[in-house]
Amino acid sequence: MFTEPHEFAINIPKILAEARIETYERLSWPGFLGRAFKHRGVTVVLAARRSRLVAVFSLAMIPSGVLFAAHSGPGRVL
């Protein structure tokens, strides 16, 4: 949404985004997760690390004979 510059410098998208973040911080449960919305950079880095850890752990749990096997045939029909 774009509007021409206003004499009162009203920026509706910015105001609504700030209100949304404030609401998320106030109403999130558990409470410590509310701070994640304020520090998005840290949250993104921690989420990326955790997803990498989950991927590595998942690959470690798959037997190598299954993971690197040559598959032939029609496959499994569900």
XYZ file of all heavy atoms in Angstrom:
610
model
N 0.851 -1.157 0.000
C 0.000 0.000 0.000
C 0.909 1.236 0.000
O 1.794 1.351 0.821
C -0.885 -0.081 1.242
C -1.654 1.158 1.505
S -2.984 1.004 2.720
C -2.252 0.256 4.100
N 0.678 2.092 -0.930
C 1.498 3.295 -1.025
C 0.588 4.508 -1.064
O -0.424 4.529 -1.755
C 2.359 3.273 -2.289
C 3.153 4.529 -2.470
C 4.302 4.745 -1.741
C 2.730 5.516 -3.338
C 5.035 5.916 -1.879
C 3.453 6.688 -3.497
C 4.602 6.880 -2.764
N 0.938 5.513 -0.305
C 0.224 6.787 -0.362
C 1.246 7.895 -0.528
O 2.415 7.738 -0.188
C -0.588 7.036 0.927
O 0.313 7.034 2.030
C -1.648 5.972 1.123
N 0.777 8.963 -1.038
C 1.651 10.126 -1.207
C 2.094 10.624 0.171
O 1.394 10.425 1.161
C 0.901 11.242 -1.944
C 0.542 10.876 -3.378
C 1.774 10.665 -4.230
O 2.777 11.387 -4.069
O 1.727 9.759 -5.072
N 3.264 11.251 0.251
C 3.713 11.787 1.548
C 2.653 12.720 2.140
O 2.030 13.507 1.438
C 4.981 12.560 1.194
C 5.466 11.917 -0.059
C 4.232 11.465 -0.797
N 2.451 12.576 3.415
C 1.420 13.329 4.119
C 2.083 14.335 5.042
O 3.194 14.119 5.524
C 0.550 12.345 4.917
C -0.700 12.953 5.454
N -0.746 13.539 6.692
C -1.935 13.062 4.914
C -1.981 13.988 6.899
N -2.716 13.704 5.838
N 1.414 15.417 5.298
C 2.013 16.449 6.146
C 2.264 15.974 7.570
O 3.118 16.496 8.265
C 1.127 17.694 6.155
C -0.242 17.464 6.759
C -1.090 18.720 6.714
O -0.798 19.646 7.493
O -2.017 18.744 5.880
N 1.534 14.928 8.020
C 1.750 14.391 9.360
C 2.698 13.200 9.355
O 2.938 12.596 10.392
C 0.422 13.970 9.985
C -0.551 15.099 10.127
C -1.824 14.991 9.603
C -0.200 16.269 10.777
C -2.727 16.030 9.730
C -1.091 17.317 10.912
C -2.371 17.198 10.383
N 3.230 12.849 8.205
C 4.169 11.733 8.048
C 3.573 10.418 8.570
O 4.207 9.694 9.325
C 5.504 12.039 8.707
N 2.357 10.126 8.153
C 1.687 8.892 8.569
C 2.098 7.764 7.629
O 1.964 7.874 6.423
C 0.158 9.068 8.550
C -0.245 10.139 9.560
C -0.549 7.758 8.843
C -1.702 10.514 9.497
N 2.611 6.689 8.193
C 3.011 5.517 7.423
C 2.231 4.326 7.983
O 2.662 3.672 8.928
C 4.516 5.308 7.546
C 5.014 4.183 6.681
O 4.235 3.386 6.168
N 6.323 4.114 6.519
N 1.072 4.064 7.383
C 0.165 3.038 7.897
C 0.817 1.649 7.942
O 0.722 0.962 8.963
C -1.144 3.010 7.081
C -1.881 4.336 7.220
C -2.037 1.857 7.506
C -2.344 4.647 8.616
N 1.491 1.167 6.888
C 2.109 -0.165 6.981
C 3.111 -0.280 8.132
O 3.157 -1.294 8.824
C 2.787 -0.336 5.625
C 2.033 0.547 4.714
C 1.627 1.719 5.543
N 3.894 0.747 8.352
C 4.876 0.712 9.437
C 4.180 0.681 10.801
O 4.563 -0.081 11.691
C 5.805 1.920 9.352
C 6.855 1.935 10.427
C 7.744 3.157 10.319
C 8.745 3.152 11.455
N 9.436 4.406 11.588
N 3.138 1.479 10.961
C 2.395 1.512 12.221
C 1.767 0.151 12.507
O 1.842 -0.362 13.626
C 1.322 2.620 12.178
C 1.985 3.994 12.153
C 0.360 2.500 13.359
C 1.031 5.129 11.877
N 1.161 -0.462 11.486
C 0.523 -1.764 11.680
C 1.555 -2.856 11.955
O 1.306 -3.761 12.767
C -0.331 -2.115 10.470
C -1.556 -1.225 10.271
C -2.294 -1.614 9.003
C -2.477 -1.273 11.465
N 2.717 -2.791 11.307
C 3.771 -3.780 11.562
C 4.278 -3.670 13.002
O 4.495 -4.679 13.670
C 4.922 -3.588 10.574
N 4.462 -2.457 13.483
C 4.906 -2.263 14.865
C 3.857 -2.766 15.854
O 4.193 -3.402 16.863
C 5.213 -0.791 15.123
C 6.454 -0.303 14.412
C 6.636 1.202 14.482
O 5.736 1.903 14.999
O 7.678 1.680 14.012
N 2.592 -2.523 15.557
C 1.518 -3.005 16.439
C 1.461 -4.532 16.436
O 1.232 -5.152 17.481
C 0.179 -2.432 15.987
N 1.686 -5.137 15.279
C 1.667 -6.599 15.180
C 2.800 -7.204 16.018
O 2.577 -8.142 16.782
C 1.786 -7.029 13.723
C 1.695 -8.514 13.518
C 1.721 -8.904 12.051
N 2.908 -8.417 11.383
C 2.919 -7.516 10.409
N 1.798 -6.989 9.972
N 4.044 -7.124 9.851
N 4.008 -6.662 15.903
C 5.144 -7.165 16.680
C 4.883 -6.993 18.170
O 5.127 -7.900 18.972
C 6.451 -6.445 16.262
C 6.800 -6.762 14.824
C 7.588 -6.812 17.200
C 7.176 -8.188 14.569
N 4.356 -5.852 18.550
C 4.061 -5.601 19.966
C 3.029 -6.601 20.487
O 3.160 -7.130 21.595
C 3.534 -4.178 20.130
C 3.208 -3.812 21.558
C 2.641 -2.411 21.651
O 3.159 -1.508 20.958
O 1.693 -2.224 22.430
N 2.020 -6.897 19.681
C 1.000 -7.863 20.084
C 1.594 -9.258 20.200
O 1.295 -9.995 21.149
C -0.149 -7.864 19.065
O -0.675 -6.548 18.955
C -1.248 -8.808 19.479
N 2.427 -9.656 19.245
C 3.068 -10.971 19.308
C 3.924 -11.094 20.570
O 3.913 -12.112 21.237
C 3.945 -11.220 18.087
C 3.206 -11.453 16.803
C 3.876 -11.382 15.590
C 1.852 -11.749 16.764
C 3.217 -11.605 14.392
C 1.191 -11.968 15.584
C 1.875 -11.890 14.385
O 1.234 -12.107 13.215
N 4.669 -10.046 20.880
C 5.522 -10.076 22.072
C 4.689 -10.206 23.349
O 5.043 -10.948 24.258
C 6.351 -8.789 22.164
C 7.445 -8.690 21.144
C 8.137 -7.342 21.183
O 7.680 -6.439 21.907
O 9.141 -7.193 20.485
N 3.573 -9.514 23.385
C 2.757 -9.489 24.591
C 1.951 -10.769 24.773
O 1.776 -11.241 25.894
C 1.812 -8.285 24.523
C 1.078 -7.994 25.795
C 0.389 -6.621 25.765
N -0.002 -6.167 24.450
C -1.239 -6.269 23.953
N -2.194 -6.793 24.665
N -1.506 -5.798 22.745
N 1.461 -11.357 23.685
C 0.530 -12.473 23.795
C 1.137 -13.845 23.527
O 0.428 -14.845 23.616
C -0.650 -12.252 22.831
C -1.485 -11.002 23.103
C -2.560 -10.844 22.050
C -2.094 -11.038 24.486
N 2.411 -13.915 23.181
C 3.001 -15.220 22.879
C 3.133 -16.048 24.151
O 3.302 -15.522 25.245
C 4.358 -15.063 22.206
O 5.260 -14.461 23.090
N 3.019 -17.353 23.975
C 3.159 -18.269 25.098
C 4.082 -19.381 24.683
O 3.907 -19.924 23.590
C 1.809 -18.855 25.500
C 1.926 -19.727 26.690
C 1.846 -19.333 27.983
C 2.164 -21.134 26.708
N 2.022 -20.408 28.808
C 2.214 -21.528 28.041
C 2.356 -22.092 25.723
C 2.442 -22.837 28.424
C 2.583 -23.398 26.105
C 2.612 -23.757 27.445
N 5.052 -19.763 25.417
C 5.526 -19.173 26.673
C 6.137 -17.795 26.433
O 6.567 -17.476 25.336
C 6.559 -20.163 27.181
C 6.930 -21.019 26.039
C 5.814 -20.945 25.042
N 6.164 -17.014 27.486
C 6.536 -15.605 27.390
C 7.900 -15.329 26.791
O 8.087 -14.350 26.078
N 8.888 -16.209 27.051
C 10.236 -15.926 26.542
C 10.281 -15.987 25.020
O 11.164 -15.397 24.407
C 11.266 -16.883 27.149
C 11.158 -18.299 26.665
C 11.840 -18.718 25.548
C 10.364 -19.212 27.337
C 11.747 -20.025 25.101
C 10.264 -20.511 26.912
C 10.946 -20.926 25.781
N 9.328 -16.657 24.383
C 9.318 -16.703 22.918
C 8.895 -15.370 22.305
O 9.154 -15.107 21.143
C 8.391 -17.822 22.431
C 8.883 -19.232 22.707
C 7.849 -20.241 22.235
C 10.215 -19.488 22.061
N 8.258 -14.524 23.093
C 7.866 -13.211 22.608
C 9.056 -12.361 22.219
O 8.980 -11.543 21.302
N 10.167 -12.560 22.911
C 11.376 -11.798 22.574
C 11.932 -12.188 21.220
O 12.677 -11.432 20.604
C 12.422 -11.996 23.670
C 12.032 -11.345 24.978
C 13.153 -11.375 25.995
N 13.576 -12.725 26.360
C 13.011 -13.468 27.309
N 11.987 -12.992 27.986
N 13.449 -14.674 27.590
N 11.569 -13.366 20.717
C 12.055 -13.808 19.404
C 11.570 -12.888 18.299
O 12.246 -12.723 17.280
C 11.602 -15.238 19.128
N 10.416 -12.270 18.487
C 9.899 -11.362 17.464
C 10.653 -10.043 17.452
O 10.706 -9.361 16.441
C 8.403 -11.109 17.684
C 7.569 -12.329 17.479
C 7.061 -13.031 18.558
C 7.306 -12.787 16.212
C 6.295 -14.166 18.372
C 6.542 -13.923 16.001
C 6.037 -14.607 17.085
N 11.227 -9.678 18.564
C 11.986 -8.427 18.638
C 13.387 -8.593 18.054
O 13.916 -7.684 17.431
C 12.085 -7.980 20.094
C 12.622 -6.610 20.264
C 11.662 -5.817 21.097
C 12.030 -4.383 21.137
N 10.903 -3.550 20.850
N 13.985 -9.773 18.249
C 15.350 -10.041 17.791
C 15.299 -11.099 16.692
O 15.722 -12.228 16.882
C 16.211 -10.514 18.966
C 16.170 -9.585 20.132
N 16.783 -8.363 20.119
C 15.554 -9.684 21.333
C 16.564 -7.756 21.267
N 15.813 -8.530 22.023
N 14.775 -10.713 15.549
C 14.556 -11.680 14.472
C 15.847 -12.259 13.920
O 15.890 -13.415 13.528
C 13.739 -11.040 13.360
C 12.297 -10.865 13.745
C 11.580 -10.140 12.675
N 12.058 -8.758 12.700
C 11.277 -7.710 12.591
N 10.024 -7.858 12.410
N 11.762 -6.502 12.655
N 16.915 -11.494 13.886
C 18.180 -12.004 13.352
C 18.696 -13.176 14.172
O 19.099 -14.209 13.623
N 18.655 -13.034 15.471
C 19.100 -14.111 16.358
C 18.190 -15.322 16.190
O 18.654 -16.464 16.149
C 19.109 -13.626 17.827
C 19.395 -14.760 18.778
C 20.110 -12.499 17.993
N 16.906 -15.085 16.085
C 15.943 -16.172 15.924
C 16.199 -16.954 14.644
O 16.163 -18.194 14.638
C 14.509 -15.614 15.925
O 14.313 -14.874 17.127
C 13.482 -16.719 15.831
N 16.474 -16.257 13.561
C 16.740 -16.922 12.283
C 18.005 -17.768 12.367
O 18.039 -18.914 11.901
C 16.834 -15.888 11.138
C 17.368 -16.511 9.872
C 15.477 -15.261 10.885
N 19.046 -17.235 12.970
C 20.302 -17.979 13.098
C 20.100 -19.235 13.948
O 20.548 -20.328 13.578
C 21.416 -17.083 13.705
C 22.622 -17.906 14.104
C 21.812 -16.002 12.712
N 19.416 -19.099 15.065
C 19.176 -20.261 15.923
C 18.302 -21.300 15.238
O 18.540 -22.502 15.359
C 18.549 -19.815 17.242
C 19.448 -19.002 18.159
C 18.686 -18.541 19.392
C 20.691 -19.781 18.545
N 17.295 -20.861 14.492
C 16.430 -21.803 13.765
C 17.217 -22.517 12.675
O 17.031 -23.726 12.460
C 15.245 -21.062 13.167
N 18.107 -21.811 11.987
C 18.919 -22.442 10.943
C 19.857 -23.483 11.547
O 20.016 -24.580 10.994
C 19.716 -21.378 10.189
N 20.458 -23.164 12.670
C 21.348 -24.128 13.332
C 20.581 -25.366 13.776
O 21.034 -26.486 13.609
C 22.031 -23.485 14.534
C 23.128 -22.546 14.148
C 23.826 -22.017 15.370
N 24.859 -21.068 14.991
C 25.538 -20.340 15.851
N 25.286 -20.455 17.139
N 26.448 -19.501 15.426
N 19.416 -25.151 14.347
C 18.618 -26.287 14.817
C 18.167 -27.155 13.645
O 18.213 -28.378 13.730
C 17.408 -25.805 15.590
C 16.464 -26.961 15.920
C 15.507 -26.617 16.966
N 16.176 -26.928 18.219
C 15.716 -26.608 19.397
N 14.602 -25.965 19.502
N 16.358 -26.942 20.485
N 17.774 -26.546 12.531
C 17.331 -27.347 11.387
C 18.497 -28.137 10.793
O 18.324 -29.277 10.360
C 16.682 -26.458 10.327
O 17.622 -25.559 9.785
N 19.692 -27.545 10.796
C 20.868 -28.278 10.336
C 21.166 -29.469 11.241
O 21.483 -30.565 10.779
C 22.084 -27.346 10.293
C 22.696 -27.268 8.909
C 23.916 -26.397 8.886
N 23.534 -25.034 9.230
C 24.356 -24.147 9.746
N 25.597 -24.450 9.980
N 23.948 -22.945 10.018
N 21.051 -29.258 12.533
C 21.285 -30.323 13.499
C 20.273 -31.455 13.315
O 20.642 -32.629 13.328
C 21.204 -29.765 14.924
C 21.426 -30.764 16.050
C 22.852 -31.285 16.000
C 21.140 -30.102 17.385
N 19.026 -31.118 13.096
C 17.990 -32.133 12.869
C 18.277 -32.905 11.583
O 18.137 -34.130 11.536
C 16.590 -31.487 12.829
C 15.535 -32.442 12.303
C 16.207 -30.986 14.209
N 18.697 -32.207 10.531
C 19.001 -32.876 9.262
C 20.178 -33.840 9.423
O 20.121 -34.983 8.947
C 19.308 -31.842 8.178
N 21.235 -33.407 10.075
C 22.407 -34.271 10.279
C 22.041 -35.475 11.141
O 22.405 -36.617 10.831
C 23.569 -33.462 10.914
C 24.671 -34.383 11.402
C 24.111 -32.465 9.909
N 21.285 -35.244 12.193
C 20.864 -36.343 13.064
C 19.981 -37.328 12.300
O 20.140 -38.545 12.435
C 20.115 -35.793 14.282
C 19.666 -36.861 15.228
C 20.576 -37.517 16.038
C 18.330 -37.216 15.303
C 20.163 -38.502 16.912
C 17.905 -38.198 16.168
C 18.822 -38.845 16.982
N 19.072 -36.817 11.479
C 18.190 -37.686 10.701
C 18.991 -38.535 9.719
O 18.730 -39.731 9.563
C 17.153 -36.860 9.939
O 16.356 -36.147 10.841
N 19.945 -37.926 9.042
C 20.775 -38.675 8.092
C 21.646 -39.699 8.812
O 21.917 -40.773 8.278
C 21.634 -37.727 7.261
C 20.880 -36.920 6.215
C 21.813 -35.925 5.547
C 20.239 -37.822 5.182
N 22.070 -39.382 10.018
C 22.895 -40.325 10.779
C 22.086 -41.541 11.215
O 22.644 -42.632 11.384
C 23.500 -39.628 11.988
N 20.792 -41.387 11.372
C 19.950 -42.487 11.829
C 19.522 -43.425 10.686
O 19.076 -44.535 10.937
C 18.695 -41.938 12.521
C 19.005 -41.139 13.775
S 19.984 -42.048 14.993
C 18.853 -43.318 15.466
N 19.662 -42.993 9.431
C 19.293 -43.838 8.295
C 20.483 -44.748 7.973
O 21.596 -44.261 7.776
C 18.944 -42.986 7.058
C 17.748 -42.084 7.373
C 18.638 -43.868 5.850
C 17.453 -41.080 6.279
N 20.262 -46.046 7.917
C 21.374 -46.948 7.592
C 21.948 -46.628 6.212
O 21.221 -46.325 5.269
C 20.726 -48.338 7.604
C 19.451 -48.182 8.352
C 19.021 -46.767 8.178
N 23.280 -46.682 6.107
C 23.921 -46.313 4.839
C 23.512 -47.245 3.705
O 23.478 -46.848 2.546
C 25.445 -46.297 4.995
O 25.903 -47.594 5.346
N 23.195 -48.508 4.019
C 22.736 -49.430 2.983
C 21.425 -48.981 2.356
O 21.166 -49.217 1.175
N 20.601 -48.315 3.104
C 19.329 -47.807 2.586
C 19.539 -46.458 1.901
O 18.988 -46.185 0.842
C 18.297 -47.675 3.729
C 17.033 -47.002 3.245
C 17.997 -49.030 4.331
N 20.370 -45.634 2.511
C 20.561 -44.281 2.002
C 21.274 -44.268 0.656
O 20.911 -43.501 -0.240
C 21.356 -43.459 3.026
C 21.473 -41.973 2.772
C 20.108 -41.316 2.755
C 22.347 -41.331 3.835
N 22.270 -45.137 0.481
C 23.069 -45.116 -0.738
C 22.812 -46.318 -1.637
O 23.584 -46.600 -2.546
C 24.564 -45.054 -0.391
C 24.923 -43.799 0.359
C 25.256 -43.850 1.697
C 24.911 -42.576 -0.277
C 25.587 -42.709 2.399
C 25.233 -41.419 0.408
C 25.568 -41.483 1.754
N 21.745 -47.055 -1.429
C 21.441 -48.250 -2.217
C 20.921 -47.862 -3.596
O 20.286 -46.824 -3.768
C 20.420 -49.106 -1.500
N 21.203 -48.727 -4.563
C 20.640 -48.540 -5.902
C 19.235 -49.108 -5.888
O 19.023 -50.273 -5.556
C 21.503 -49.238 -6.940
N 18.288 -48.312 -6.235
C 16.889 -48.751 -6.213
C 16.464 -49.120 -7.627
O 16.770 -48.440 -8.588
C 15.999 -47.624 -5.683
C 16.326 -47.248 -4.276
N 15.875 -47.951 -3.205
C 17.097 -46.256 -3.771
C 16.314 -47.410 -2.091
N 17.076 -46.370 -2.403
N 15.754 -50.227 -7.729
C 15.230 -50.656 -9.017
C 13.801 -51.160 -8.815
O 13.401 -51.502 -7.714
C 16.100 -51.755 -9.613
O 16.093 -52.884 -8.751
N 13.060 -51.171 -9.843
C 11.686 -51.631 -9.742
C 10.722 -50.471 -9.653
O 11.111 -49.300 -9.676
N 9.452 -50.789 -9.551
C 8.438 -49.751 -9.586
C 8.352 -48.928 -8.312
O 7.756 -47.864 -8.300
C 7.143 -50.525 -9.804
C 7.418 -51.877 -9.217
C 8.878 -52.119 -9.464
N 8.886 -49.416 -7.240
C 8.786 -48.671 -5.996
C 7.607 -49.140 -5.175
O 6.915 -50.089 -5.518
N 7.383 -48.455 -4.116
C 6.308 -48.834 -3.196
C 5.022 -48.127 -3.578
O 5.000 -46.908 -3.763
C 6.725 -48.458 -1.789
C 5.855 -49.085 -0.738
C 6.444 -48.823 0.609
N 5.553 -47.823 1.228
C 5.831 -47.173 2.329
N 6.982 -47.347 2.905
N 4.997 -46.313 2.835
N 3.967 -48.873 -3.676
C 2.676 -48.301 -3.993
C 1.938 -48.076 -2.685
O 1.836 -48.965 -1.858
C 1.852 -49.257 -4.904
C 0.494 -48.664 -5.185
C 2.612 -49.527 -6.183
N 1.438 -46.857 -2.499
C 0.704 -46.542 -1.260
C -0.757 -46.836 -1.409
O -1.378 -46.716 -2.343
C 0.909 -45.080 -0.886
C 2.350 -44.694 -0.586
C 2.437 -43.203 -0.318
C 2.865 -45.453 0.630
